[in-house]
Amino acid sequence: MLLHFKDGSLFEEKLVFTQQRVFTLKNYRLMQRGPAFTDDTEISLERATGKYRVKSKAHKDGKEEVHEGTLDLPLDVYNGGMILTVAKNLPKGASETVHTVAFTPKPRLIQLELTPAGEQKVLVGALARTATDYVFKPKLGVLLKLAATVLGRVPPDSHAWIVASEMPAFVRFDGPLSITGSVWRLERTLPRWVD
């Protein structure tokens, strides 16, 4: 996913995954820079080795930090847009709890609950469809939630609306693009042709 902002900021997320009975994350890369973000950040995560690298540079003071190491990754670890892919493939009304790596900037493995929270009518072109609102709830555990509360860094729930049909489709996302980021709204648009 590549997002260019009017203020010159850039969000670029790349991931490689396989789909053989289950989705498996292979590689993850994230780059975000510019005034839309609190820090300029480059992240890489390799599934085969569990090796990660996080490089961040604060906008306030220009301080640069680099964190490197390895993580023991469970099979159900997903990041970024891959979580939307998992939600699109859930049976109607089903919930799922998966793992995600939260880069704060050091990586933390957390559980993420994907739960349907209702339905909403949406127009897809000229056709009315029903979209399921999935809530993505980070499960931090007691100690981590207490620390995040004290620091004012409890991540908000995210929402993704999915139209379930023969070919499920993503229609909207409300949530942070990174664990400590602002809440954004991403929506699909349809082309409008001008004669």
Side-chain angles (χ1 to χ4, degrees):
M1 178 169 43
L2 179 63
L3 302 173
H4 290 275
F5 296 79
K6 288 182 180 180
D7 67 3
S9 298
L10 176 72
F11 177 91
E12 183 177 13
E13 183 179 56
K14 296 178 182 180
L15 54 92
V16 175
F17 66 92
T18 60
Q19 179 185 351
Q20 296 172 343
R21 294 189 208 168
V22 296
F23 294 107
T24 305
L25 176 70
K26 295 296 184 184
N27 298 313
Y28 178 73
R29 304 264 185 278
L30 174 68
M31 180 177 59
Q32 57 186 34
R33 65 172 186 245
F37 305 101
T38 55
D39 301 326
D40 290 345
T41 307
E42 293 180 34
I43 296 169
S44 65
L45 176 65
E46 304 289 331
R47 167 145 201 104
T49 61
K51 189 175 180 179
Y52 67 85
R53 185 173 196 272
V54 181
K55 180 180 171 186
S56 62
K57 183 176 182 180
H59 289 175
K60 289 183 203 172
D61 58 10
K63 182 180 173 188
E64 190 170 287
E65 289 184 31
V66 176
H67 301 280
E68 295 180 301
T70 59
L71 289 172
D72 187 19
L73 299 173
L75 292 176
D76 68 342
V77 68
Y78 308 113
N79 268 53
M82 206 174 159
I83 294 169
L84 293 173
T85 301
V86 171
K88 281 180 14 180
N89 284 275
L90 288 176
K92 185 174 175 89
S95 296
E96 179 92 19
T97 299
V98 298
H99 290 90
T100 188
V101 180
F103 294 94
T104 64
K106 290 182 182 179
R108 294 182 182 277
L109 192 64
I110 61 170
Q111 288 186 324
L112 186 67
E113 185 178 273
L114 287 62
T115 307
E119 295 182 337
Q120 187 174 350
K121 292 290 184 189
V122 63
L123 288 177
V124 179
L127 303 173
R129 295 286 185 246
T130 301
T132 301
D133 172 12
Y134 282 93
V135 179
F136 302 164
K137 292 180 173 276
K139 298 295 181 188
L140 303 181
V142 175
L143 293 178
L144 186 54
K145 187 168 187 172
L146 178 63
T149 302
V150 168
L151 294 172
R153 297 180 81 174
V154 176
D157 294 345
S158 298
H159 293 261
W161 284 263
I162 307 291
V163 172
S165 64
E166 303 82 43
M167 294 184 62
F170 158 80
V171 290
R172 187 168 98 187
F173 172 80
D174 289 349
L177 296 178
S178 63
I179 198 76
T180 59
S182 302
V183 173
W184 298 87
R185 172 170 288 170
L186 304 174
E187 292 181 300
R188 296 199 57 165
T189 59
L190 297 173
R192 297 185 185 267
W193 303 96
V194 179
D195 293 326

